[in-house]
DNA sequence: TTATATACGACTTAATTAGTCTTATATATA
DNA sequence: TATATATAAGACTAATTAAGTCGTATATAA
């Protein structure tokens, strides 16, 4: 269906929200989750993934929360999405080191290479769009 | 996860197979399903969708089967995929006449418009690729 | 020491995708 | 005209993935 997961949407919202509202101070999960009606626990774990991908940094404890770790011009759409989605590819075989391992049809498949090229074009779109551009 | 459905893959395989192997004669579901290890019943229904979208034409009965209804340069990737997927959009709100009807967050969402622009770029990729180009 | 915040694995539920079953209809050909 | 072969199509089931929840641990400012 080519859908982005809700998780990716939430993460994008959070990153954009932080870009617009952090002014040297931390922003909490509670705040973002409250504003957009996102499950607190779910968003919390997405934020943790963003931390692991160096997109944001966390501060635990009272007055804690999150802050962006980069300038908005240096955060790509691809960064945020790939931090959340394990692999966002059109097919099972793409991005797999051994295609035959990921798909039983890999050896007889006539659309594998064409779709891989389409994938590259899509990747380019995500890699050419920065958070700054979508503020 | 941004995956194309297996159904779309099967339909694409079938269209490409027909383009390569039909020489004025019909090609049956059985033949295609057999070669690529696709469920017969499943592929049969995909073919029916392709018929409804005027991509192929069907011939019932003995010696029946399917034939392409257009030249390969006139069949777009977008045609095949949209024939199979009800709507292939990044988010629930895109392609919905009333966004608020499709998503409760539509009024407070800050990523709707940016993602709609990304969608347009992706649509362009699918609309610029023809079956002829992937033979 | 307490209140507030993130960290994170395990688990459950909901939704979607993929595949199957069944019956009907069309048609070439013997 | 009977038969074998092919598509047409709705209802149903199984498998997979996505979305959300629960519980517990850890960090830290005040
Ligand atoms: S090899 Fe072909 S069938 Fe298998 S995942 Fe890749 S594109 Fe799909
Ligand atoms: S309005 Fe926002 S949250 Fe809702 S589907 Fe569209 S992008 Fe996603």
């Amino acid at each position: 269906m080519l859908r982005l997961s809700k998780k990716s949407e939430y993460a994008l919202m959070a990153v954009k929200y932080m870009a617009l509202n952090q002014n040297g101070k931390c922003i909490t999960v509670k705040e973002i989750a409250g504003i957009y009606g996102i499950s607190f626990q779910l968003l919390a774990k997405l934020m943790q993934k963003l931390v692991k991908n160096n997109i944001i940094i966390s501060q635990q404890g009272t007055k804690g929360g999150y802050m962006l770790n980069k300038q908005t011009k240096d955060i790509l759409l691809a960064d945020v999405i790939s931090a959340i989605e394990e692999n966002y590819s059109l097919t099972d075989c793409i991005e797999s080191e051994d295609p035959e391992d990921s798909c039983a049809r890999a050896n007889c498949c006539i659309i594998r290479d064409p779709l891989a090229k389409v994938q590259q074009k899509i990747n380019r779109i995500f890699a050419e769009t920065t958070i700054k551009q979508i503020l």
Side-chain angles (χ1 to χ4, degrees), chain A:
Chain A
M1 216 182 176
L2 217 71
R3 277 281 195 295
L4 221 53
S5 70
K6 284 287 176 189
K7 291 180 187 178
S8 292
E9 290 191 13
Y10 298 159
L12 261 178
M13 285 183 203
V15 169
K16 177 166 177 180
Y17 180 86
M18 293 173 76
L20 292 173
N21 296 286
Q22 75 174 12
N23 294 309
K25 60 182 195 305
C26 281
I27 291 182
T28 66
V29 172
K30 198 175 169 187
E31 177 176 352
I32 302 173
I35 288 172
Y36 299 114
I38 303 169
S39 151
F40 172 85
Q41 300 278 13
L42 185 54
L43 182 59
K45 279 194 294 196
L46 300 176
M47 299 301 268
Q48 287 156 27
K49 285 193 175 181
L50 294 177
V51 169
K52 283 190 178 146
N53 283 268
N54 301 309
I55 296 167
I56 62 178
I57 50 175
S58 75
Q59 169 68 39
Q60 288 195 336
T62 308
K63 299 253 177 184
Y66 297 95
M67 291 181 68
L68 293 184
N69 192 33
K70 300 177 182 180
Q71 288 185 279
T72 55
K73 74 173 174 58
D74 296 322
I75 304 175
L76 311 175
L77 211 51
D79 294 333
V80 177
I81 293 171
S82 67
I84 305 301
E85 316 269 1
E86 52 290 18
N87 79 338
Y88 64 106
S89 54
L90 290 176
T91 65
D92 292 336
C93 59
I94 298 172
E95 309 222 332
S96 170
E97 62 279 1
D98 182 8
E100 301 196 17
D101 193 49
S102 59
C103 177
R105 269 181 281 265
N107 43 23
C108 69
C109 183
I110 55 178
I111 58 167
R112 209 157 78 74
D113 293 348
L115 287 181
K117 284 180 188 163
V118 171
Q119 178 79 58
Q120 285 177 358
K121 291 183 185 176
I122 290 178
N123 287 351
R124 211 168 299 142
I125 293 174
F126 285 104
E128 280 171 354
T129 308
T130 68
I131 296 300
K132 184 170 189 181
Q133 287 167 25
I134 68 166
L135 291 184

